[in-house]
Amino acid sequence: MVIFSLIRTFVGMRIVIQRVQHASVTIDGKVHSAIQQGFLILLGVCDEDTSEDVDWLVKKVAGLRVFDDENHVMNRSILDVQGEALVVSQFTLFASYKKGNRPSWFKAGSHEHSIPLYEEFCTKLSDAIGKPVGTGEFGADMKVELLNDGPVTICMDTKNKE
């Protein structure tokens, strides 16, 4: 039991992927980024994350077959449908809610560690899908709008690869 609880304390880079018909991020009343069909990705980084975590997630996202083929079966990737991506930093993916009703985010990465990995993820995903990736603004108060398609929502954590 002790070993199990020690293993469960390790967290990795986390993403929530939503298949969307369109999505946008607004900051201070102005649209910062907007996409059409593709993925809205919420990305959380912790201090243990590395470039290897970024590479694994980018490969998974680019190859994820959740878009419909001609038979209405989820069998196509974002590459196959020439979809777009919008990536929003989301430290609240690391909410700890065990004690009380006010969550803490002690597992979320520091700005110094998280910003470069967020930017690396966006750059590598852009390279992988062959088009610019829309972004939010790290640490900003953002309004995110989307039309979830399906709905299809997938969660990934780099420390839970199995």
Side-chain angles (χ1 to χ4, degrees):
M1 181 73 157
V2 171
I3 292 173
F4 178 71
S5 54
L6 285 175
I7 291 171
R8 290 181 47 99
T9 62
F10 294 108
V11 295
M13 189 176 287
R14 292 180 177 168
I15 61 174
V16 174
I17 304 167
Q18 294 182 302
R19 185 180 77 179
V20 298
Q21 288 185 6
H22 59 83
S24 65
V25 172
T26 300
I27 302 171
D28 295 329
K30 296 178 184 161
V31 174
H32 182 78
S33 292
I35 64 164
Q36 293 302 309
Q37 179 187 31
F39 289 145
L40 169 64
I41 301 171
L42 306 176
L43 172 70
V45 178
C46 70
D47 284 330
E48 291 77 26
D49 292 327
T50 66
S51 288
E52 289 177 8
D53 295 309
V54 169
D55 292 341
W56 183 83
L57 278 177
V58 166
K59 183 178 177 183
K60 290 303 256 185
V61 169
L64 191 63
R65 295 179 1 196
V66 295
F67 293 93
D68 291 349
D69 64 15
E70 61 281 351
N71 298 313
H72 304 288
V73 175
M74 288 194 285
N75 202 26
R76 290 189 175 152
S77 71
I78 194 169
L79 296 168
D80 297 328
V81 300
Q82 299 177 7
E84 299 179 281
L86 175 57
V87 181
V88 177
S89 61
Q90 189 76 37
F91 75 93
T92 60
L93 292 176
F94 291 102
S96 176
Y97 43 83
K98 286 187 174 188
K99 294 181 181 179
N101 291 319
R102 184 171 188 266
S104 68
W105 291 277
F106 67 92
K107 293 180 184 179
S110 67
H111 278 63
E112 296 77 24
H113 185 76
S114 299
I115 292 172
L117 286 177
Y118 168 78
E119 292 171 349
E120 181 180 347
F121 179 85
C122 293
T123 299
K124 288 182 174 179
L125 183 59
S126 178
D127 291 344
I129 66 172
K131 55 180 66 175
V133 167
T135 62
E137 184 179 305
F138 202 93
D141 180 20
M142 298 175 275
K143 307 302 179 211
V144 180
E145 243 182 287
L146 69 133
L147 180 57
N148 195 319
D149 184 14
V152 174
T153 303
I154 309 285
C155 300
M156 293 183 189
D157 184 317
T158 59
K159 299 300 185 256
N160 189 17
K161 294 178 182 174
E162 281 109 44

